[in-house]
Each structure stands twice: as structure tokens, then as C-alpha cells.
Amino acid sequence: DSGVTQTPKHLITATGQRVTLRCSPRSGDLSVYWYQQSLDQGLQFLIQYYNGEERAKGNILERFSAQQFPDLHSELNLSSLELGDSALYFCASSPDSYEQYFGPGTRLTVT
Amino acid sequence: QKEVEQDPGPLSVPEGAIVSLNCTYSNSAFQYFMWYRQYSRKGPELLMYTYSSGNKEDGRFTAQVDKSSKYISLFIRDSQPSDSATYLCAMSAPGNQFYFGTGTSLTVIP
């Protein structure tokens, strides 16, 4: 158990809908990272927050957004969902940039 | 061309064998190099990370980085059935950009 929690574990929704994924980092970690993992693309870095501020952006679509709250938990919002957004979404937390601890993931299925 | 290339395998070895997993990369700005292990339907677990060229050892695992060749390796000695998983290499570039390989699936046969 990495100490990172993610909810929900599974999410099934329809195209065009909006969902919110939640992540609670390990105690004391200020950084949160979001990743998307699909079979054909592997693990793709989406975005990083550090102590409430956006620090780095990867291949995140404009339909996706994230934020980190004062209690350091983070949410990833996915809107106007498409079939291709079906994937595993992981968050990771870190005490520094290189030692990342991944949560169990949220499996999103868009039908 | 992908930033990070990793042979997906699958790789199947007998218990006790030495396993070699490799990645190549194209971006000479990559600074940190990491290896993760991912069991089916679980989150990746950090095994090792290195900064400079050379070797770093941790128990049965050795990470090797050759920046001149843009090539990194992970060696697993005395492989065990519990090592059966997908292994992901990862690299970070300035600006906190992280790039992962697609993973190599390893099965260690008892």
C-alpha cells in the first residue's frame, strides 16, 4: 500500500458526460501527479500540482482539468467524454520530483 | 519517434535466471531515470531511480544508465516468480516532464 488513495475505483459513464476523479496524497507529500494509462499509449503524464499550484503540464487535453485543494487532495475533471478516454487514471504523490508513489488507479469506461 | 522506447516483450525466464530489461531514449535533456514495477491492475511501484551514468544496486536489482548511448537497463538477479510483472522505465526532463516506456511484461517460471 503506497499511502495514496483514489476514488472511485471504477467509473462507467456515457459519451458526452463529465466525471471527477479524486486523489489523496501520502501524508506530507506536497506534489500530486496525474497520469492516464491506456493499452495503446502506455502511461502518459497529464499534469502536476505542487502545494496547490500547477507546476507542469504534459499531454492533457483541453477537456480535462485538475486542481489541488488546500488540504492537498486533488481532483481531475474530465468533460465531454469520448470513447477514447476509457483508460486507467493514476495519481501519484511525491516528496520531491523523482520519487513518485502511485495510487491504485481509477478505471474509467466510457460507453 | 517516441521519447522513450521499450521492448514490450513478453519475456519469459526460468526461476533463478538473470533478467535484463532495457530502454532507449532520444532526449539528451533527460536527467533522472527510474524503473517501476506494475502488477496487473495495480499502480506502478518505484523500484529504483538514478541520476548519473553508471550503476546503482539495490538488493537483487541493478540499474544502469549510459547517457552517451541514451540507453538504460535494469538487471534482476536470481529472479523469483514474485518478480512476474510489467516493468516500466521512466525519465524526467527539465520542467518536471515525465515520460514512461510502454512496459516489458516479465514472467518468471518456477
Side-chain angles (χ1 to χ4, degrees):
Chain A
D1 184 357
S2 67
V4 177
T5 60
Q6 288 187 249
T7 56
K9 282 188 178 178
H10 302 280
L11 202 46
I12 301 174
T13 189
T15 54
Q17 294 299 304
R18 172 190 167 96
V19 297
T20 297
L21 312 183
R22 183 187 167 107
C23 169
S24 292
R26 295 187 327 152
S27 176
D29 288 353
L30 299 179
S31 275
V32 170
Y33 300 78
W34 285 99
Y35 292 87
Q36 179 192 59
Q37 187 175 41
S38 57
L39 280 174
D40 57 344
Q41 294 285 333
L43 201 61
Q44 299 284 313
F45 168 62
L46 296 178
I47 197 164
Q48 180 208 358
Y49 277 82
Y50 179 84
N51 202 22
E53 301 282 330
E54 181 185 303
R55 176 165 277 193
K57 223 171 196 178
N59 297 321
I60 188 165
L61 299 172
E62 284 192 14
R63 300 183 286 108
F64 296 1
S65 65
Q67 54 184 326
Q68 186 179 27
F69 295 87
D71 66 352
L72 301 178
H73 91 272
S74 179
E75 293 181 357
L76 179 67
N77 299 296
L78 315 176
S79 61
S80 302
L81 285 167
E82 301 175 359
L83 295 177
D85 298 327
S86 296
L88 265 171
Y89 291 85
F90 288 105
C91 86
S93 76
S94 176
D96 57 40
S97 293
Y98 313 109
E99 207 170 327
Q100 295 184 30
Y101 296 86
F102 281 76
T106 292
R107 182 172 294 278
L108 173 66
T109 302
V110 182
T111 62
Chain B
Q1 183 187 9
K2 283 187 178 179
E3 299 272 2
V4 180
E5 299 278 358
Q6 183 175 11
D7 186 340
L11 194 57
S12 184
V13 302
E15 183 175 352
I18 297 175
V19 176
S20 171
L21 304 166
N22 310 295
C23 289
T24 58
Y25 62 95
S26 56
N27 189 344
S28 58
F30 284 150
Q31 295 176 318
Y32 280 80
F33 305 88
M34 293 141 288
W35 284 96
Y36 287 83
R37 177 174 62 196
Q38 186 175 23
Y39 293 112
S40 181
R41 297 177 177 270
K42 303 285 188 185
E45 170 194 7
L46 179 65
L47 288 175
M48 300 182 72
Y49 69 93
T50 60
Y51 176 71
S52 57
S53 283
N55 293 353
K56 182 177 180 180
E57 191 172 316
D58 184 1
R60 296 186 295 112
F61 298 91
T62 299
Q64 191 174 79
V65 174
D66 182 346
K67 285 189 175 181
S68 63
S69 301
K70 297 190 179 69
Y71 188 88
I72 70 169
S73 299
L74 177 71
F75 298 96
I76 307 174
R77 288 183 300 281
D78 188 25
S79 55
Q80 302 295 309
S82 59
D83 294 328
S84 298
T86 296
Y87 290 80
L88 304 164
C89 62
M91 306 177 190
S92 72
N96 277 2
Q97 294 291 320
F98 287 83
Y99 299 87
F100 281 73
T102 49
T104 299
S105 174
L106 170 68
T107 301
V108 181
I109 303 166

